[in-house]
Each structure stands twice: as structure tokens, then as C-alpha cells.
Amino acid sequence: MSEKAGTHISHIHDADYEAPYLEKMLTSAALVNETGWGLESLNGKWNFGVDWYDTSRRAKWFLEEGRDPGGRPLPVDWDWEAWERICVPSCWNLARKELRYFEGSGVYTRTFRYLPEREGERAFLRFEGSSYRTSVFLNGSYLGTHDGASTPFCAEISAVAKADNRIVVVARRRVDRVPMENIDWFNYGGIYRDVLLLRTPPAFIKDWFLRLVPDGKFQTIALDVEAAAPGGLPAEGEARLRIPDLGMELPIPVRKGKGSIRFSARPELWSPGNPRLYEIELGFAGSAAASSDTVSERVGFREITVRGRDILLNGKPIFLKGICVHEDHIETGKTTDEATIRATIAHLRELNGNYLRLAHYPHDGRFARIADELGVLLWSEVPVYWAIAFDNPATYADAENQLAELVLRDRNRASVVIWSVGNENDDTDARLSFMSRLAAKARELDGTRPISAACLINHEKLAIEDRLADQLDIIGVNEYYGWYDPDFSKLPRIIENSKPSKPVVLCEFGGDARSGERGSVDDLWTEDKQARLYEKQVEVIGACPYIKGTSPWILYDFRCPRRLNRYQELFNRKGLVDADRKTKKLAFSVMGDFYRSLPD
Ligand code: GCB
């Protein structure tokens, strides 16, 4: 390193000011499940500063050094209480017009009271989603940085929390990560999902995985538990699982932080037609701790497997009657709520569907919870989208961490039936190795669900052909015949030319129509053309022996800054429903009729 002259001022001249922050990353290893002694919301109005040049982290505003060592005031550039107030959670882009396309850093701050309620209590912050690179500070201490816009992360605050606390959070876009800069949706910024304060006993259940063993017999349940002790040490003790409706109460010894059990049971199986959930209670008493932790949840037991070209739910072939959906909402962006999720599922029901592809990133954690309750099957995906930097090890580490955070968050949800490791990536060597590793990681974290990815068609050979298919259980395929490629006759040829040995799910097809735009079936952007395209698609799909599911693109029109023509006006208009989430287009009933015609 070269000598620094006496003129050096770190926060102005250090090009690598970010490096020390990146030495402390908040990853899936620090994730704590959101049940315990107590859970408080830190949502509400936070003070917010637009920080174009990331000065907050360069100049370490979190230290709050407003005075010199002699006590004289310094001319600092921040002013927490005078800043505007913004809602957490929300997408800053929608807070006011000037922020619509802002992609720099946003600084959030608020104060909160925290008083431990019990002896030995530990406390954690849990963020359900903040875009993209988020650094967290409490009372002048740096807690860590998280990468990834759509998965949860946690930071322990036990050692630094006081009665009165100041939290500072800096959220910033990364253009070279997962996904990268070029995407076909809107890059919303900020803390756009819930922020929680969790209280736990000194030793507690950090993670657990309860499921039916997928051996085709439906009579064995397995549980893995991970328990943590203070100081990041593995806990010793005993966990106890209760499933009252199955008459089960079982002890599980926990050694070096881990415990596992398999036991016989005959649960009523969860399915879209019978979304049976069992109340479960998982307790843990550590040998060193006087207090115990209890997790209460509702869990469904079902089996999802692949045999030949069939997808089997509870041993019976099923057709996934679905549609893709983005989280994007015209008023709230990527911030969602229970009512919106329920309304989305109501639209799926109107389509006579049983399945949703949650594109292209992990959706809010409440989605799978509500889908469990209502009996909807889900495809859940990480944003390994288009041409990310497949040869960059940091990009891989980021993708793998997002996958791990997603799987750990949702693997107890019966509704989630497919993990997808990406979408529409060019079949290069670097991509093959990157996504094969991701598929293997998904299997390591959860050996009970099929793995898929949305692949491209080989347009030269007119065949479903992608080297990644060998690593997948279900081959996902996107095709836009009749739209980007007007020659629809290629689609039946592709289906004829391909001989997949696995089930294929057509995870995208479709075309744009502006709501209310009418004309002939040949006029681009009209509902008439879109409806005709759907008629042609379902005719071909219905006759194909190996397509075992479809999720056309897409349920609702969504914001997209790449779409600039007069019909689009910054929206992708491929929705079957307008961006108002109310007005249906003609193609909606075409798809609804097709799904009604298929057997349950
Ligand atoms: C795709 C992408 C999706 C796009 C869509 C489109 O293949 O997977 O993210 O939005 O096409 O509308 O072009």
C-alpha cells in the first residue's frame, strides 16, 4: 500500500471505504426463526435521508460524532430528526416523485425502547426484505451488511442494545449481483418488508425442518432441529415435539446444536383440495439454561415427487394449473400485505388454477403461509436472472446465500413444491457450473422437493435442449411463439422434436395487450391478439404428453422501465389483468376455460 500524505482525509479519499463493511456479512448462517419469547414490530415512520454518494458509510455517520474531543460542535452533514419521515416498510420510489428512479443509498433511522423482560434474554433484529445491500448499525456499533433484495436476515443486538436505542440502516443498489442491472421489472429500493425485534432465551431453536419423508408410503415424518447457545455456540439439551392431533409427543436429544428424529405417523395429507394443517409445538430446554424456548406453527404434510414424465402429489399425477405473478403493485411496489396476497389467490381460483409461479425472486414470507392455508402450490425462485456474472465467485456466493435464506425461511411450508434456481440464462459453461452448484445446494438444504429452472429453447435446433436439464427434476421452459417470434408454427415442431425424459413445465408464454385496446386478432397490443395467442397456445399444450404444468406470463401488468412504447408506457402489459389488479383482459377467460377443461 502506498504512503498516504498528511493531506489524506479517509472519507473523501478512500476508494475502498466499503471493504471493511464487507468483512462482516449477515448471511443465512445468522438467520433466526421468527418465533421465540416475543416479537415486536419496528415498522412505522422512520427518518430518511437520500444519500446520493454513500456519504453515510464513507464518513461513518453511524458513530454520531457530532462533537470534537473538547466537546465543541462539529459541522456534520446528517441531521436525523430533521429528515423527512418515511414509512417502513415501503419502497422509497413511490414515496415522492423525485425518488421514482433513485438508485443511490437511502439512510433510515429511528429510536426504540428495549427492556429485557426475562433473565438472560437475547435480542435480534430481523429484516424480512431490504433492497439490495443493507448495512445495519445500532448505538454507534456496526452489526453487519446483507446482500440480496428479497430474503430475510438477522443481526443479534444483545451486546449493544440499551433502554434507548438508535438504529441506522443504509440500503443501496448493487448493479453487478443477483440480479444484475438489466432486468425486466422495476428495481424498487429501501426497507420494503417488515422489521422485527425478536426476544429469545439464552439457548433457543434457531432453525427446524419438519416434513413427510418422500418414500411413497406417507407414514414417516422427519424432524431436524438446530439450537443455538450464547456466544454463537451450539446448544446441548433436549427438544420436544408435540403434534396434538396426531397424539404425538416426542423428545429429541440435541447434541452440539443438532437433533434429528424420524417417527411413524399417518397424517391426513395436505393438498389443494384438502389443505390440512397440523398445529405443532417445538420446545427446547438447554442443559445450561433455566428457561426454555417454544416454537408454535401450523404445518402440512404432503409428498411431491417426479416419476418419469409425471409430477406426483401424494403419489398421484397432477397438472400444475398456474400463472406467474410479480410482487409489483401499482401503489405499493414490492411491499405487500395479506389482503393483496389473498386477492391474488382469489384471481388464481377464478382461473380454475391450483398453482402460482412466484417470479423472479422470493416473495414476501406471508405468501407461502397463506398458500399453505388456502391450498395453493408454489414455485419459488431466486433471481439468477438473465446474464448475471456467472464467472464471478462473489456473485455465486451471493446467489447461494439468497437460495439458502429462501429455503430456510420456507422449507416447512407444504405449499412450496418447486425450488427454481434461475430464469432464462444462456447455456454457457460458466452458467452450467454456477447453476449446477446451486441445484446441488438446494438439494443439500432440502432433499424433499423437485428442483427446476426456467430454461430457454434451442432456437436453432427448434428443440427443448439445455445442458442444465440434467441437473433438474422438472424442466422449466419459457417460449414466446406468436409474440417475440411471430411464427407460431415453430411451437408444435419443437414439441414434436423434443423427447424429454422428465416432466416439462411451460413456465412462461404470452404477449402484451393494453387493457381496453381492441382490434383484429392480428393487431399488436390488442386484447384480441392476446386472446387468440392464448387460444393457440393452449391447443398445442393440451395435446402435448409431457407438459405437466403451465404458468403463462403473467397475472398482472407490472412496472418496467424498459418498456417505452405508447401502449406500454413503462409497464410490461402481458398481464391477463391490468395493473389495477381488477380489470380482466379477454385472454383471462381463455386460460380459465382451459384449466376448467383439465381433470383435477
Ligand atoms: C421473459 C422473462 C420475463 C419477462 C418476459 C417478457 O422471458 O422471463 O421476466 O418479463 O419474458 O415480457 O418479455
Side-chain angles (χ1 to χ4, degrees):
M1 211 192 218
S2 62
E3 275 291 286
K4 285 173 184 159
T7 55
H8 185 82
I9 298 172
S10 303
H11 75 266
I12 298 177
H13 298 130
D14 270 351
D16 58 353
Y17 72 95
E18 197 177 32
Y21 292 110
L22 304 187
E23 279 164 21
K24 197 168 170 188
M25 296 302 290
L26 302 170
T27 64
S28 63
L31 207 55
V32 172
N33 89 74
E34 71 272 51
T35 40
W37 273 354
L39 190 149
E40 279 156 52
S41 169
L42 291 181
N43 292 349
K45 294 278 184 189
W46 292 45
N47 290 98
F48 177 72
V50 172
D51 180 13
W52 289 95
Y53 303 138
D54 209 24
T55 313
S56 55
R57 293 194 309 160
R58 289 174 192 273
K60 303 197 176 73
W61 289 355
F62 67 93
L63 294 174
E64 298 193 75
E65 286 171 336
R67 295 191 175 263
D68 79 357
R72 285 169 300 195
L74 289 169
V76 294
D77 295 318
W78 43 269
D79 199 345
W80 309 140
E81 303 300 340
W83 284 357
E84 70 179 293
R85 285 163 70 74
I86 200 169
C87 204
V88 170
S90 74
C91 299
W92 69 46
N93 317 72
L94 300 173
R96 56 189 164 87
K97 218 167 130 233
E98 300 75 43
L99 289 178
R100 177 59 62 93
Y101 295 105
F102 176 64
E103 297 210 336
S105 294
V107 186
Y108 293 78
T109 183
R110 66 164 283 172
T111 56
F112 66 92
R113 295 272 295 165
Y114 168 70
L115 294 171
E117 285 166 359
R118 302 182 222 194
E119 183 68 23
E121 178 172 299
R122 297 170 69 179
F124 296 82
L125 296 172
R126 182 172 158 119
F127 292 79
E128 295 299 328
S130 173
S131 175
Y132 180 97
R133 173 163 284 173
T134 306
S135 300
V136 186
F137 309 90
L138 191 78
N139 302 331
S141 292
Y142 170 55
L143 301 178
T145 293
H146 179 261
D147 274 348
S150 307
T151 45
F153 59 95
C154 294
E156 179 157 14
I157 58 169
S158 313
V160 289
K162 302 187 289 195
D164 289 301
N165 301 279
R166 165 145 322 264
I167 179 171
V168 177
V169 178
V170 184
R172 177 172 213 216
R173 174 159 193 178
R174 290 292 308 177
V175 294
D176 59 347
R177 283 305 181 83
V178 189
M180 41 48 139
E181 192 175 21
N182 182 27
I183 51 178
D184 197 46
W185 68 91
F186 193 90
N187 178 49
Y188 290 104
I191 311 175
Y192 71 95
R193 289 186 186 152
D194 294 345
V195 184
L196 304 168
L197 173 67
L198 306 178
R199 297 165 188 262
T200 75
F204 65 95
I205 297 167
K206 186 168 171 291
D207 181 43
W208 55 283
F209 182 23
L210 181 66
R211 72 279 176 188
L212 197 64
V213 173
D215 58 4
K217 299 190 178 129
F218 320 115
Q219 52 190 16
T220 310
I221 291 176
L223 169 73
D224 296 316
V225 191
E226 191 186 331
L233 297 172
E236 301 280 327
E238 188 179 271
R240 188 161 280 272
L241 174 68
R242 282 188 64 229
I243 311 180
D245 282 4
L246 289 177
M248 293 279 165
E249 174 147 7
L250 299 161
I252 306 120
V254 174
R255 301 282 167 264
K256 296 197 174 135
K258 302 230 156 120
S260 293
I261 191 171
R262 275 173 179 241
F263 54 93
S264 300
R266 282 200 170 269
E268 214 180 299
L269 299 179
W270 182 99
S271 69
N274 180 31
R276 170 74 161 101
L277 296 176
Y278 285 85
E279 303 279 343
I280 70 117
E281 229 178 74
L282 185 59
F284 176 73
S287 49
S291 42
S292 62
D293 185 25
T294 308
V295 169
S296 305
E297 260 294 2
R298 294 165 77 207
V299 173
F301 298 99
R302 56 99 191 96
E303 185 187 275
I304 180 84
T305 46
V306 163
R307 190 181 54 207
R309 290 165 157 193
D310 278 325
I311 301 171
L312 308 180
L313 179 69
N314 299 328
K316 296 189 198 97
I318 184 166
F319 191 93
L320 303 175
K321 305 181 218 174
I323 186 144
C324 295
V325 65
H326 259 300
E327 235 166 8
D328 190 275
H329 187 286
I330 195 156
E331 279 152 24
T332 58
K334 248 173 136 289
T335 301
T336 194
D337 58 19
E338 220 182 293
T340 305
I341 295 168
R342 288 184 188 274
T344 305
I345 292 174
H347 268 141
L348 174 73
R349 295 272 188 253
E350 277 188 59
L351 273 175
N352 305 305
N354 57 16
Y355 161 73
L356 285 167
R357 175 182 179 208
L358 303 182
H360 281 299
Y361 38 74
H363 286 216
D364 190 286
R366 284 168 293 185
F367 212 114
R369 192 180 282 276
I370 295 171
D372 264 17
E373 175 201 320
L374 299 180
V376 174
L377 305 167
L378 299 177
W379 159 303
S380 202
E381 179 163 311
V382 284
V384 173
Y385 184 87
W386 288 356
I388 63 168
F390 288 112
D391 49 4
N392 181 351
T395 306
Y396 179 78
D398 191 342
E400 189 184 278
N401 185 56
Q402 290 186 46
L403 176 74
E405 287 169 341
L406 167 63
V407 174
L408 295 185
R409 190 191 71 181
D410 283 354
R411 63 183 172 175
N412 291 307
R413 305 266 174 251
S415 53
V416 178
V417 289
I418 297 172
W419 301 123
S420 163
V421 294
N423 179 77
E424 280 193 356
N425 321 95
D426 208 7
D427 189 358
T428 63
D429 291 350
R431 173 268 194 167
L432 180 61
S433 128
F434 186 111
M435 290 178 68
S436 302
R437 278 176 77 190
L438 272 188
K441 182 70 187 178
R443 277 192 192 97
E444 176 195 317
L445 292 166
D446 174 9
T448 73
R449 288 172 173 87
I451 312 296
S452 191
C455 301
L456 289 164
I457 277 171
N458 184 327
H459 297 288
E460 280 151 30
K461 293 195 195 159
L462 287 185
I464 297 171
E465 196 190 79
D466 184 317
R467 288 179 293 164
L468 186 66
D470 291 343
Q471 312 300 322
L472 306 175
D473 303 302
I474 295 173
I475 307 172
V477 174
N478 293 354
E479 54 88 3
Y480 281 90
Y481 291 99
W483 185 250
Y484 292 123
D485 186 340
D487 184 358
F488 188 80
S489 72
K490 286 180 186 162
L491 183 61
R493 275 151 63 204
I494 288 166
I495 289 182
E496 189 64 33
N497 288 348
S498 310
K499 306 270 174 287
S501 56
K502 302 176 180 182
V504 169
V505 167
L506 215 53
C507 34
E508 283 181 36
F509 65 84
D512 290 69
R514 189 165 69 175
S515 177
E517 196 70 32
R518 300 299 303 269
S520 86
V521 294
D522 296 322
D523 292 334
L524 288 171
W525 315 106
T526 61
E527 289 192 30
D528 307 72
K529 181 169 176 75
Q530 188 193 41
R532 181 74 193 110
L533 191 156
Y534 269 72
E535 281 163 9
K536 285 162 54 179
Q537 287 277 351
V538 299
E539 197 185 324
V540 173
I541 295 162
C544 173
Y546 55 77
I547 294 179
K548 294 301 157 69
T550 47
S551 53
W553 192 253
I554 185 169
L555 184 52
Y556 305 114
D557 288 354
F558 58 97
R559 219 172 244 126
C560 183
R562 294 171 70 240
R563 307 290 183 173
L564 300 176
N565 81 27
R566 71 183 71 180
Y567 303 97
Q568 298 165 321
E569 293 180 306
L570 301 172
F571 280 81
N572 184 312
R573 302 275 182 202
K574 293 191 187 67
L576 293 184
V577 178
D578 183 75
D580 67 6
R581 292 192 173 223
K582 290 192 186 96
T583 316
K584 292 181 194 123
K585 304 180 194 172
L586 296 177
F588 189 97
S589 57
V590 177
M591 210 54 215
D593 290 348
F594 174 61
Y595 285 152
R596 191 179 319 110
S597 75
L598 297 176
D600 270 336

